[in-house]
Amino acid sequence: MLTLPTYDDVIAAAARLQGHAHRTPVLRSATADARWGAQFFFKCENFQRMGAFKFRGAFNALARFDDAQRRAGAIAFSSGNHAQAVALAARLIGMPALIVMPTDAPAAKLAATRGYGAEVVLYDRFTEDREALTRRLALERGMTLIPPYDHPDVIAGQGTAAKELIEEAGPLDALYVCLGGGGLTGGSALSARALAPACRIYGVEPEAGNDGQQSLRAGRIVHIETPRTIADGAQTQHLGDYTFGIIRRDVDDILTVGDAQLVEGMRFFAERMKMVVEPTGCLAFAAACAAGDAVKGRRVGVIVSGGNVDLVRYAALLAGD
Amino acid sequence: MLTLPTYDDVIAAAARLQGHAHRTPVLRSATADARWGAQFFFKCENFQRMGAFKFRGAFNALARFDDAQRRAGAIAFSSGNHAQAVALAARLIGMPALIVMPTDAPAAKLAATRGYGAEVVLYDRFTEDREALTRRLALERGMTLIPPYDHPDVIAGQGTAAKELIEEAGPLDALYVCLGGGGLTGGSALSARALAPACRIYGVEPEAGNDGQQSLRAGRIVHIETPRTIADGAQTQHLGDYTFGIIRRDVDDILTVGDAQLVEGMRFFAERMKMVVEPTGCLAFAAACAAGDAVKGRRVGVIVSGGNVDLVRYAALLAGD
């Protein structure tokens, strides 16, 4: 039986993050409010350090290491925001970090991860098992593995964003959160249940990768093939034991949106709110826009999860190429 | 002899704007700090209502109308952010607004101005004198003309952004502000001189349109042809009497940057700070980046003035087309 993290763990994480993570702004949009008839509160984690909420969970996890763990350092496998989050958190705390990344990861992400001072080990996605490789490296070097989402400290850290949002905006009627592996959704649910008990909590997945929705309906963790979607941060194949445990208990529903809706959301954010948001970061807002009466007249929280998107790709998506 | 607005006028403007203008966030960037060796504080007026600081000045001016003026409404000529600022401020206060715009203004700007409920009168840039037309319309309808920058209430309103910045960031060593007609630079100077007396204040113009720099050196207002630059918000031909009066007294220097530096700044804002910033909004930061020792080790305020840029054009600038 797993012991799920609680809101007390989120409070403890917030204390650890104080002075290290940005307290990101909660922005409003009169245009969005008028168009969809709601009062939206956008928690802008695209302005978080390294450009995404992932810094919160990684820093919280690494900050809890004991002396021996700190000396040996942290290891993670990721081709996305978690890699940079662990790398940056390790540098700030002062410990080694090793990130296992695919040989075909975008050069910009390799450079960013190395730029934060992490050692990068490359593996071939087609012939090597990254989890086995990572476990072997962790054992050889005595490093502590920090998974991208299914870890109580990671979940508690991610929950601090919704905590700040609700503290600043006041009680919400609904909260929309993007859902990949469930770290952000799970952590947000802990905060929302504690601070706004009546708030309806929605996880939002890409249509092509609705394993969370299937899992919630089946009552067990459903595994899927890597989905084809522009929401690269939500291409997970399954929830984790911790995240599913929280989600099945606390989340009201899991919604899906298509890639075209994500592009529309990205354009709205750029044109009307002057923010660069990565496709995954548009999931929550796209679902809220499609929710109709579920948001009308309501106070609606939207977590904008990140802004890390290659500029050339971003420009092409904006221009509709 | 003109009576220049003072910091007391900025304080009064701030009270009028309370609850109407956004208190925009002051963002930090560890990457910018590391790269240029300064501590930057970015006042993000691209997140202001209608996407630019211009809302502050327009609202402050319109909020001071007496009953008769309110009944007749406000008139302005502008193809840019001032048009939308007057239109939105008029709607919020509940008065008519008439905006004189060129027939070849971008469709998006016409639509946005009408979307805020303003009446738009079009004129032909090549055959008609917009100032004469505007004066005639103002007389016919008894409307009060609000110029885009050379007006004490407009200047005082624009000064509230720097006031908020310094109140939040603490005393600054240097403040960089984009310079077109001088409303934002003048207002910022009033706040900075009052709140951070030792702060060096820099106005920043496009290289191609350095009339302010020439004016400061000549000791009189120099007029130029409409400059060719992507900084469309700074294509003014001359400072005004009020703005020049403040600038010659309070501003330490006027700097210039080229269009290529603006594009670099725009990319930095998008890639590292996840913000959409219009070319004019990049002037201040581009000058600070080029300032070398003048910013090293210093606490540097940068006003990011706006984010209103056509998405297709923006995408092309990001992609380097």
Side-chain angles (χ1 to χ4, degrees):
Chain A
M1 184 68 188
L2 288 177
T3 303
L4 299 177
T6 67
Y7 182 60
D8 283 342
D9 296 313
V10 179
I11 294 173
R16 282 180 209 110
L17 288 168
Q18 180 78 37
H20 300 287
H22 291 319
R23 189 178 175 106
T24 53
V26 176
L27 297 186
R28 307 294 312 272
S29 166
T31 305
D33 288 2
R35 193 174 297 176
W36 288 283
Q39 276 181 276
F40 288 109
F41 299 87
F42 297 93
K43 178 63 172 172
C44 296
E45 287 295 297
N46 50 331
F47 303 138
Q48 188 49 267
R49 295 190 77 154
M50 48 70 51
F53 72 94
K54 289 275 184 184
F55 177 73
R56 296 176 182 266
F59 188 92
N60 185 51
L62 269 58
R64 298 201 64 193
F65 281 15
D66 65 25
D67 287 349
Q69 286 178 302
R70 286 191 190 210
R71 276 192 299 275
I75 183 168
F77 51 87
S78 167
S79 58
N81 287 330
H82 182 60
Q84 292 171 61
V86 170
L88 175 58
R91 190 184 70 183
L92 291 174
I93 296 172
M95 67 172 81
L98 192 159
I99 313 291
V100 178
M101 298 180 84
T103 46
D104 59 354
K109 294 209 167 173
L110 286 172
T113 306
R114 289 187 177 120
Y116 289 126
E119 180 184 351
V120 173
V121 170
L122 298 174
Y123 74 98
D124 183 330
R125 286 203 296 139
F126 302 99
T127 61
E128 290 182 274
D129 175 342
R130 73 173 182 178
E131 302 199 25
L133 171 63
T134 308
R135 275 194 302 272
R136 182 169 60 74
L137 288 165
L139 262 175
E140 279 174 19
R141 308 216 193 172
M143 293 179 123
T144 304
L145 174 65
I146 299 300
Y149 53 88
D150 204 33
H151 187 294
D153 297 336
V154 172
I155 296 166
Q158 318 305 28
T160 58
K163 176 177 183 289
E164 291 173 6
L165 167 59
I166 298 169
E167 285 171 353
E168 188 165 336
L172 299 172
D173 300 313
L175 176 64
Y176 290 81
V177 188
C178 61
L179 173 59
L184 185 63
T185 300
S188 299
L190 296 177
S191 292
R193 278 287 157 268
L195 297 173
C199 180
R200 290 184 67 83
I201 303 167
Y202 301 101
V204 185
E205 292 180 311
E207 259 168 23
N210 72 334
D211 61 286
Q213 192 178 55
Q214 292 183 48
S215 302
L216 196 64
R217 285 168 191 177
R220 60 175 177 79
I221 297 173
V222 172
H223 290 239
I224 60 169
E225 291 295 305
T226 300
R228 293 176 70 95
T229 166
I230 60 170
D232 52 352
Q235 285 182 308
T236 39
Q237 296 174 267
H238 57 84
L239 299 176
D241 294 326
Y242 288 102
T243 58
F244 182 60
I246 300 170
I247 286 169
R248 68 185 307 184
R249 183 191 68 195
D250 289 341
V251 167
D252 290 282
D253 203 0
I254 295 179
L255 311 170
T256 65
V257 298
D259 281 1
Q261 290 167 278
L262 297 179
V263 174
E264 265 181 60
M266 195 178 303
R267 289 192 187 133
F268 184 89
F269 281 131
E271 188 155 32
R272 307 303 311 218
M273 296 188 66
K274 317 304 175 189
M275 301 200 298
V276 176
V277 182
E278 62 185 88
T280 308
C282 298
L283 281 165
F285 184 51
C289 294
D293 285 347
V295 301
K296 286 242 164 37
R298 308 289 169 91
R299 295 167 52 81
V300 178
V302 170
I303 299 191
V304 179
S305 61
N308 290 329
V309 49
D310 174 75
L311 271 201
V312 172
R313 180 159 169 262
Y314 180 65
L317 288 169
L318 284 188
D321 294 355
Chain B
M1 185 68 187
L2 288 178
T3 303
L4 298 177
T6 68
Y7 181 60
D8 284 341
D9 297 313
V10 180
I11 294 174
R16 280 181 211 110
L17 287 168
Q18 179 80 34
H20 299 287
H22 290 320
R23 189 179 174 104
T24 54
V26 176
L27 296 185
R28 308 292 313 271
S29 165
T31 306
D33 288 1
R35 192 174 299 176
W36 290 282
Q39 277 182 276
F40 288 108
F41 298 86
F42 297 93
K43 178 64 172 173
C44 296
E45 287 294 298
N46 50 332
F47 302 138
Q48 187 50 267
R49 295 190 78 157
M50 49 66 55
F53 73 94
K54 289 274 183 183
F55 177 72
R56 296 176 182 267
F59 188 92
N60 186 50
L62 269 59
R64 298 202 63 194
F65 280 16
D66 64 25
D67 286 348
Q69 286 178 302
R70 285 191 191 208
R71 275 192 299 275
I75 183 168
F77 51 88
S78 166
S79 57
N81 288 329
H82 182 59
Q84 292 171 62
V86 170
L88 175 58
R91 191 184 68 182
L92 292 173
I93 296 172
M95 68 172 81
L98 193 159
I99 313 293
V100 178
M101 299 180 82
T103 47
D104 59 351
K109 293 208 168 172
L110 287 172
T113 306
R114 289 187 176 122
Y116 289 126
E119 180 184 350
V120 173
V121 169
L122 298 174
Y123 74 98
D124 182 331
R125 287 203 294 141
F126 301 99
T127 61
E128 291 181 271
D129 176 343
R130 72 173 182 178
E131 302 198 24
L133 171 63
T134 307
R135 273 194 303 272
R136 182 168 59 74
L137 288 165
L139 263 175
E140 278 173 19
R141 307 214 193 175
M143 293 178 123
T144 304
L145 174 66
I146 300 300
Y149 52 88
D150 204 33
H151 187 295
D153 297 335
V154 171
I155 296 166
Q158 318 305 27
T160 59
K163 175 177 182 289
E164 291 173 6
L165 166 60
I166 299 168
E167 285 171 352
E168 187 164 337
L172 299 172
D173 300 313
L175 176 64
Y176 291 80
V177 187
C178 60
L179 174 58
L184 185 64
T185 301
S188 299
L190 296 178
S191 292
R193 277 287 156 267
L195 297 173
C199 179
R200 291 185 67 82
I201 302 166
Y202 301 101
V204 186
E205 290 179 313
E207 259 168 24
N210 73 334
D211 61 285
Q213 193 178 56
Q214 292 183 48
S215 301
L216 196 64
R217 287 170 190 174
R220 59 174 177 81
I221 298 172
V222 172
H223 290 239
I224 60 169
E225 292 294 305
T226 300
R228 292 177 70 96
T229 166
I230 60 169
D232 53 352
Q235 285 182 309
T236 39
Q237 295 175 267
H238 56 86
L239 299 176
D241 294 325
Y242 288 102
T243 58
F244 182 60
I246 300 170
I247 286 169
R248 70 186 305 184
R249 182 190 68 194
D250 289 341
V251 166
D252 290 283
D253 203 1
I254 294 179
L255 312 169
T256 65
V257 299
D259 281 0
Q261 290 168 278
L262 297 181
V263 174
E264 265 182 58
M266 196 177 304
R267 289 192 186 132
F268 183 90
F269 281 131
E271 188 155 32
R272 307 304 308 221
M273 296 188 68
K274 317 304 177 189
M275 300 200 298
V276 175
V277 182
E278 62 185 88
T280 309
C282 298
L283 281 165
F285 184 51
C289 294
D293 285 346
V295 301
K296 286 241 163 40
R298 307 290 169 93
R299 295 166 52 79
V300 178
V302 171
I303 299 191
V304 179
S305 61
N308 290 329
V309 49
D310 174 75
L311 272 201
V312 172
R313 181 158 169 259
Y314 180 65
L317 288 168
L318 284 187
D321 293 354

